[in-house]
Every structure is written in C-alpha cells, then in structure tokens.
Amino acid sequence: MRNILVEPLRARESPGPVCLLGIVLGILLVCLSACSSGILAGGNWQSSGLQNKHIRVLAVDPNNPQNIYAGNDQGAIFVSTDAGQHWLERNPAVFTQINALTFDSSGKKLYATTGNGIFVSTDAAQQWNAVGTPSTGLPTDGYTALAFDLNNSHAIYAGTAHHGVLVSKDDGKSWSNAASGVPFHSINNLAFDSDAHQLWAATELGIYRSDDGGTTWRSFNNGLPSNIIVYTVQPASISGGALGLIFAGTNRGFFLSQDAGAHWATGQEAFPGLSVYEIFVDFQMPATVYAATSVGVFRSDDSGQDWGSVAPGLPQAQPVYSLALGATDYSQLYAAANDVYLFPGNSGGLTATKLLPTLLILLFFYLLYRLVMRGRNKTRQMLKPERIIESPASTSEPPSPDKLAPYKVVSQDKGQSNNIHPIDHKQEVSSEGEES
C-alpha cells in the first residue's frame, strides 16, 4: 500500500492590505504637502504685539537667545526676555533714530548706532552711555553701522552718514578715520570677516573692501549696475558658509559673488524691481539665506540661487528692514517691520491648518494598526491544523508513544465525512499478503 503524505496548508499572501496601505500613505503625503502651515510648513508669521512701532533693527543676545532687542525710527528700544511674547519699552531721551543694534564679540555689551552718536549698555538696555566724543576723535554725525573683529576684542569699526568709516583699537576710547582718500562718505552697512581679515563696506557708490583694517580700500563693483546703492554686504563665511561667497542687497535687487567680490552676478531670481535691505545667513544651515526686502521676506535654500516666500502672515507689500534668529535653539525667525513678526507663530491656538496634519498622521497609524491586526488574524485562521478524529479506543488508557497506530487518508464518498481513521494492523498485513 502507498503511504500518502499530507502537507499542512500554507497561508497565501494577500496583496490587499499592502496595496491599501500604499494608497493611504500616498493620500496622506499629498494632503500634508498641500498644507501651507503646521507640522511640515512650520506655521505662519505672527505679530508680537508691537503694532505701528516702526521697528527698524533687531538684535539677539548671543548668551541668551530668549532676550530680543528691537529699535525703531523714533529712538525707542523694546526688550523681550521671553522670545518676543512680551515687550518692555526703553526710551532713552538722548536717542534719535536707531540704525543698528549690535552685540560685541563677548555678548556682554549692546551697542546702538543712532542719528546722534554711538551708545553702549551693559545692563540689558536699561542704561546707556555715549561712546566717544569729538574730543576722542568721534565726530558729531549720524552713525549707521558697527562691526567687530572676533580676533581682536578691542577693535570696533563704525560707519557714518558723512565721515566714512572710523576705527577704534581701544574699545571706543579713541577713534581715527579709517577711510581717508576714498570716494565714498556714506556707509549703509559694515561686515568684518575675521577669518579672512576683510572689512566690507556697503555704500552709496557700491561695495568696497579693506584687507588691512581700514588703512586702504578697493572697490569691488565688477558686474554691478552703475549708480547702484548697496544697502548690505554679507560674507557667507561669517555664518559658517562657503569661503569667497558674498551676498549683496541693493536698490536693484540681490547679487552674489563666488570669488570674494571680484565678479558679481544675480541668482536665478534677482528681485530686480525690489530693494533688499538686509541679507541674513542661517548659521545653523548656512545654505539657507533670508532676504528682507521692500515687499517682505524671502528665503533661499541653495545659497541665493532660487527664492521663495517664507510663509503667509506678513502685511502685503510692507517693507521688512531687519532679520534675526532667536528663542530656544534659535527656532524662531524675527522680522522688523512696523511690528516685530515671529515665524513660526506659537500662540495662535489650534486652527484647522495646524490640526489637519496631526489628524491625518493619527489616522494613518490607526489604519496601519488595523491592517496589521487583520493580516495576523487571517494568517492564524489559515494556519489552523485540521482536527483529527480518532475511533473509540478499546481501553480508556491512552496508548504509549511507541505504540501509536499509524494513520491513513480515507477517500471521501458521498455522505462520508472527511475524517482520518486508524489502520488496523491485521487488515493491513492481510492486504499486503493478497497483493503479493
């Protein structure tokens, strides 16, 4: 007699749950990418509560990024110790328009350049002292910019409205002219690249650079339009970017140089009809660059080649003059306009655009759980062994393992159950004898 091997049934893989899971995942990704704010997009710009204060400059305490300072065109300074959620006004009587707020290299002194001089505070903007007088070489003028040499904590460079660049080598106790014999007189912005030891000046006549601390200057205007006004010049390396990569904001848009200013060109989008007042390089991701322009804030994620808007929430067509990163882990971007705006906003409560991505993610994981459990249950059902029904034994005692009777598969006739019956040893022997 032939022995028949009965193999257990194998579960067949069902592509249904996998396909459904892929479809759900695709729908989820499409919905999330369509959201203009929230988890992926980061939310909207939000007012910090300084409406109609005409903010022009910003500064963040490098030793505590929760401390934010804002100055306006009326000489008032606003201080926040909770990352812009609340503000206190400081209104020094001697201040006129504030053109720059800058911390020194140690982060312990906050300097303000104003329409009537340079001032310094060492107590979080509560008290201010004048830096220099005409007797110390600091002429009466409007002061527009400050720059510090990180390798020389005593060196300060000051830009003026009518006297070019002044320099102090002793923390502001005495000053000297650092731009004698040059054609420019009005300075819009200064930047000092401490690694390259280069002092950059944005002027009404273009871009100039000094490689010897202000003693001599060279123009770097190759590729810039004639009669251009440069508002800001920013070496990327100051914020950890590529060496030799320089950005310039002008009254004719945005320009960049890949060779330390020797040649200038526009990116893919140059904002030719806009004024670019400030360029801010994200020191956490140096390829990310922000531009404060006459119509709002733009962001580039490829070092100034392509640009896009940051987020909705800013007043339309309103100029933005200054940008800064602050708050815990420098997670918020601040923009100075007629108000100080925060991105992303963090006190707007739950909105549909913020809640929708979260609900979609929760729905995805719920469906994933259900599909996995459904697949497991099907697998268990399909892998259950068939029941084996034994004939009644002659004795109540179970047979020992070595005396178990073998089994054979009995073909099923009509009306006969598909059971498996034990083989009678004697019958099997006789059958074999007959066959022989």
Side-chain angles (χ1 to χ4, degrees):
M1 178 180 178
R2 294 176 299 172
N3 292 329
I4 302 176
L5 177 64
V6 179
E7 295 184 355
L9 294 175
R10 294 182 180 179
R12 292 178 298 174
E13 295 183 358
S14 174
V18 178
C19 294
L20 182 58
L21 179 61
I23 294 173
V24 173
L25 179 59
I27 295 174
L28 174 68
L29 293 176
V30 170
C31 292
L32 288 179
S33 63
C35 295
S36 61
S37 62
I39 294 174
L40 293 187
N44 299 342
W45 288 100
Q46 171 189 308
S47 168
S48 69
L50 294 179
Q51 293 90 343
N52 300 317
K53 295 300 183 181
H54 305 284
I55 306 301
R56 294 295 180 266
V57 294
L58 295 169
V60 176
D61 185 346
N63 297 316
N64 184 357
Q66 297 285 335
N67 296 335
I68 314 296
Y69 299 85
N72 72 358
D73 59 1
Q74 303 297 318
I77 292 180
F78 302 88
V79 181
S80 174
T81 58
D82 55 6
Q85 299 305 305
H86 304 88
W87 297 89
L88 294 175
E89 182 176 355
R90 313 287 189 199
N91 194 5
V94 296
F95 282 11
T96 58
Q97 177 175 334
I98 300 174
N99 297 313
L101 287 173
T102 312
F103 278 93
D104 68 349
S105 57
S106 69
K108 297 179 180 179
K109 295 180 181 180
L110 176 62
Y111 288 84
T113 59
T114 75
N116 60 332
I118 304 174
F119 299 85
V120 63
S121 174
T122 57
D123 57 3
Q126 297 184 56
Q127 297 179 343
W128 294 85
N129 297 310
V131 177
T133 62
S135 62
T136 62
L138 200 66
T140 301
D141 199 350
Y143 287 82
T144 57
L146 283 180
F148 297 90
D149 183 353
L150 299 181
N151 297 323
N152 183 357
S153 60
H154 302 292
I156 306 174
Y157 299 90
T160 71
H162 303 97
H163 292 84
V165 179
L166 302 173
V167 60
S168 172
K169 301 293 187 180
D170 54 10
D171 296 308
K173 297 181 178 65
S174 62
W175 296 83
S176 61
N177 194 320
S180 58
V182 296
F184 61 85
H185 300 288
S186 179
I187 305 298
N188 294 319
N189 173 255
L190 291 174
F192 195 92
D193 187 341
S194 298
D195 293 332
H197 198 71
Q198 295 173 340
L199 177 61
W200 293 84
T203 79
E204 83 282 11
L205 297 178
I207 297 172
Y208 288 79
R209 191 183 80 195
S210 174
D211 298 338
D212 53 12
T215 302
T216 59
W217 293 83
R218 294 171 53 200
S219 65
F220 286 82
N221 296 318
N222 187 14
L224 295 178
S226 59
N227 301 321
I228 194 171
I229 298 175
V230 181
Y231 294 119
T232 183
V233 59
Q234 182 69 29
S237 59
I238 291 180
S239 300
L243 292 174
L245 178 60
I246 316 294
F247 304 115
T250 76
N251 64 336
R252 298 191 182 184
F254 170 84
F255 295 85
L256 59 84
S257 172
Q258 303 280 358
D259 52 11
H263 303 87
W264 294 92
T266 61
Q268 299 296 325
E269 301 172 45
F271 313 132
L274 304 182
S275 292
V276 178
Y277 299 117
E278 183 171 352
I279 296 169
F280 183 82
V281 180
D282 187 342
F283 51 84
Q284 300 176 111
M285 297 180 293
T288 299
V289 184
Y290 297 93
T293 77
S294 52
V295 295
V297 181
F298 295 89
R299 177 176 62 199
S300 170
D301 294 320
D302 55 6
S303 298
Q305 292 296 330
D306 300 286
W307 294 86
S309 61
V310 175
L314 287 176
Q316 292 185 356
Q318 184 177 108
V320 174
Y321 299 98
S322 183
L323 298 167
L325 280 176
T328 303
D329 298 325
Y330 294 95
S331 58
Q332 285 193 316
L333 180 66
Y334 297 84
N338 282 340
D339 193 348
V340 173
Y341 291 89
L342 294 72
F343 173 79
N346 55 12
S347 63
L350 286 176
T351 63
T353 54
K354 293 180 181 178
L355 191 59
L356 178 60
T358 303
L359 293 178
L360 289 173
I361 290 176
L362 292 176
L363 176 62
F364 167 72
F365 283 107
Y366 172 74
L367 292 175
L368 178 63
Y369 169 78
R370 291 298 302 268
L371 290 173
V372 170
M373 295 305 298
R374 181 181 177 186
R376 288 182 177 178
N377 291 336
K378 284 187 175 181
T379 302
R380 290 174 181 173
Q381 292 293 333
M382 299 182 70
L383 291 179
K384 280 185 178 180
E386 295 187 65
R387 291 180 301 164
I388 299 175
I389 302 176
E390 301 181 15
S391 298
S394 58
T395 61
S396 59
E397 295 182 0
S400 59
D402 56 347
K403 295 182 179 181
L404 290 177
Y407 290 85
K408 71 176 181 178
V409 177
V410 179
S411 61
Q412 184 176 359
D413 296 331
K414 293 182 180 179
Q416 185 178 3
S417 63
N418 187 24
N419 295 331
I420 302 175
H421 302 278
I423 301 174
D424 184 87
H425 283 279
K426 295 180 179 180
Q427 182 180 356
E428 182 180 13
V429 172
S430 61
S431 298
E432 292 176 355
E434 293 175 359
E435 292 178 1
S436 60

